[in-house]
Amino acid sequence: MLDITICSVSYGCYMYLDLNWELTKSLNPGANINWLIADNAVGSKEELMPANDERFNVYEGVPKRGMGANWQHAQALMMLLGHTKSR
């Protein structure tokens, strides 16, 4: 069985992640998909990922510290790499 780990950063992107999950599953039947998400919507309840969606492993992302959105996104991806178990 193929193991796939996908790392994504979200800030109010649940709708798009839902669509991407469906596409990924349809293109990789039988694959074990481990989808890690860093939720960068820290402090914004309206934008947070749902906690009860078992398809995704959601981690608290990186709060913005005045370094810009690119820095925040990159730091969140680097944090997720520590949670990967596949190659």
Side-chain angles (χ1 to χ4, degrees):
M1 178 180 288
L2 177 65
D3 285 333
I4 299 172
T5 299
I6 299 172
C7 296
S8 299
V9 179
S10 176
Y11 191 102
C13 300
Y14 180 70
M15 177 179 69
Y16 300 112
L17 289 165
D18 181 51
L19 290 171
N20 280 304
W21 172 269
E22 297 302 326
L23 178 62
T24 302
K25 281 302 275 184
S26 70
L27 293 175
N28 300 281
N32 179 32
I33 299 173
N34 184 28
W35 204 309
L36 309 177
I37 300 188
D39 194 346
N40 273 359
V42 179
S44 173
K45 290 184 180 180
E46 297 81 28
E47 302 292 337
L48 286 173
M49 291 282 298
N52 60 349
D53 193 329
E54 295 178 0
R55 301 174 297 174
F56 305 112
N57 296 305
V58 180
Y59 298 89
E60 184 174 324
V62 177
K64 197 169 185 178
R65 294 191 178 113
M67 301 292 285
N70 289 339
W71 178 87
Q72 182 187 25
H73 188 89
Q75 288 299 113
L77 284 174
M78 293 301 292
M79 181 266 304
L80 288 177
L81 289 177
H83 296 283
T84 61
K85 294 179 178 43
S86 62
R87 290 188 335 156

